Amino acid sequence: MVQGVDKVVAGEQAKEVPIPQSISAELKAALAQYPSPSVEEARSFVPTTAAQWRDYVQATNKMQKTKIKNMRKHYGVTVEMLDITGVTVRKITPKSLSPEFKDHVYIDIHGGAYVLFAGLPSIEEGILVAHRLGIVVYSVDYRMPPASPFPAALDDVKHVYRVLSQQYDANHIFMGGTSAGGGLLLAFVQGLIENGLATPRAIYAGTPWADLTKTGDSLYTNEGIDRILITYDGTLGASARLYAGNTPLTHPKLSPIYGDFTDFPPTFLVTGTRDMFLSDTVRVNRKMRDAGVTTVLDVYEGLSHADYLVSHQTPESQSVYRQLKRFLVGFTN
């Protein structure tokens, strides 16, 4: 196989996908160092028992915890543990606040396919948002399955928002999340609107998992090319079913793409050309635009799912949060 080329095998067909030459040197290095595992490898392990899920989650979270400790030290943020109506929340304060955000806060909802990154790993994106935007972040460490399937996570976000919206005017609150966090955010905002409650001033949905079913085009076209998700037919699909429990995957509170986006706050969306959730992101953007919502869809060459978090020191990652800051600043008046 040619050096720097991922070989993707699907059934009996094989294709070679070269590392894009148009991306940064840093992202090229990341892609070369950690190429896509094969689809067959990803399909070979799917947790089924409670013990297998526990071992999978603990092993993944242990690796992530080391990364987060290094990030926390590198970016110099202060992290304070809070209990908000029984929900663990970490308040992240950057070394310096941006003048534009001195009266604003940001609520972060972490990703991880609804099963990963509880505890300290939950603040990965919260650290980047706090540091790169210069804003105080409240990161929600919501409950997850197997112990707490849907709607526990959604309920926890509701509790935290209710309390913080009493401390801060809703017009001074931004919210955001990546992957499962983005999908959870969209479902949460739909619920606010359904109940006639004030929404955040603007939101950020990074490559949102807006459809838990295997429906979007890019779940097929980017299978084996996305080096993070690899395939739906592995732990990803299994996580969706574990989180949903007995609720159909097409329920709008699980898959907000099937819900209503009327009256949504301005929304910033991010994805990449190798992202298996590219279609989820594009579909959300289209439904929002059709509903008259102000959106920005920011698409990056060569990025797999949430690669701006995985490879957070690349120029592409820095650009994501630079553009997000520019977007949110426009709604601080």
Side-chain angles (χ1 to χ4, degrees):
M1 186 164 58
V2 178
Q3 186 176 10
V5 174
D6 291 337
K7 189 172 184 179
V8 182
V9 180
E12 296 182 353
Q13 296 181 337
K15 60 182 177 181
E16 292 185 345
V17 182
I19 291 176
Q21 295 305 302
S22 53
I23 61 177
S24 70
E26 292 86 348
L27 185 56
K28 286 179 185 177
L31 292 178
Q33 184 177 6
Y34 299 107
S36 302
S38 72
V39 172
E40 285 73 16
E41 286 179 283
R43 288 175 177 169
S44 67
F45 171 69
V46 178
T48 56
T49 67
Q52 288 175 340
W53 277 109
R54 182 194 63 237
D55 292 345
Y56 165 65
V57 169
Q58 288 181 350
T60 305
N61 285 0
K62 183 179 180 180
M63 292 188 293
Q64 187 74 356
K65 191 173 183 178
T66 299
K67 176 184 179 182
I68 301 310
K69 287 181 177 179
N70 292 335
M71 288 178 64
R72 180 177 173 178
K73 182 178 180 180
H74 176 76
Y75 292 110
V77 298
T78 300
V79 180
E80 177 186 0
M81 186 90 74
L82 305 175
D83 183 308
I84 298 181
T85 63
V87 182
T88 300
V89 175
R90 289 172 177 82
K91 181 181 180 182
I92 309 167
T93 305
K95 283 184 176 180
S96 60
L97 291 171
S98 296
E100 302 93 335
F101 295 136
K102 62 182 177 63
D103 297 322
H104 295 73
V105 294
Y106 180 103
I107 300 175
D108 167 57
I109 307 175
H110 72 87
Y114 293 108
V115 298
L116 298 172
F117 306 149
L120 186 64
S122 66
I123 64 173
E124 179 180 25
E125 187 160 40
I127 291 174
L128 293 179
V129 170
H131 173 76
R132 290 179 174 171
L133 273 65
I135 190 171
V136 172
V137 173
Y138 290 87
S139 187
V140 184
D141 190 0
Y142 53 83
R143 291 170 293 162
M144 291 185 286
S148 302
F150 172 82
L154 188 59
D155 289 342
D156 287 352
V157 175
K158 290 177 182 177
H159 294 323
V160 172
Y161 181 78
R162 184 179 67 248
V163 171
L164 291 179
S165 63
Q166 293 171 351
Q167 298 178 19
Y168 306 94
D169 186 283
N171 280 326
H172 289 179
I173 295 177
F174 301 120
M175 291 186 73
T178 280
S179 192
L184 186 55
L185 169 63
L186 297 177
F188 166 71
V189 174
Q190 286 175 346
L192 288 179
I193 295 170
E194 289 168 6
N195 290 287
L197 301 174
T199 64
R201 182 66 183 91
I203 64 173
Y204 152 64
T207 178
W209 198 8
D211 187 349
L212 269 57
T213 71
K214 190 178 180 181
T215 299
D217 183 52
S218 59
L219 290 176
Y220 297 87
T221 59
N222 278 342
E223 182 181 47
I225 296 173
D226 185 326
R227 71 190 184 109
I228 309 301
L229 296 180
I230 308 165
T231 179
Y232 181 89
D233 301 321
T235 56
L236 183 63
S239 297
R241 295 185 291 274
L242 185 70
Y243 173 62
N246 295 322
T247 305
L249 293 181
T250 53
H251 192 291
K253 290 297 182 290
L254 289 170
S255 297
I257 192 66
Y258 301 109
D260 188 3
F261 289 91
T262 303
D263 296 327
F264 249 65
T267 303
F268 186 83
L269 299 127
V270 176
T271 185
T273 58
R274 294 189 169 202
D275 186 3
M276 279 178 56
F277 288 174
L278 171 62
S279 288
D280 276 31
T281 313
V282 168
R283 292 164 68 201
V284 168
N285 182 68
R286 176 49 50 204
K287 289 200 72 171
M288 287 185 168
R289 299 288 290 184
D290 288 346
V293 179
T294 298
T295 69
V296 168
L297 175 60
D298 209 17
V299 184
Y300 286 81
E301 172 80 348
L303 283 189
S304 292
H305 179 68
D307 230 343
Y308 51 88
L309 288 179
V310 177
S311 305
H312 64 92
Q313 292 180 316
T314 61
E316 286 84 354
S317 176
Q318 294 167 1
S319 178
V320 166
Y321 298 100
R322 185 167 58 249
Q323 297 302 322
L324 174 59
K325 180 176 181 178
R326 182 177 300 170
F327 178 80
L328 295 182
V329 164
F331 301 100
T332 54
N333 296 327

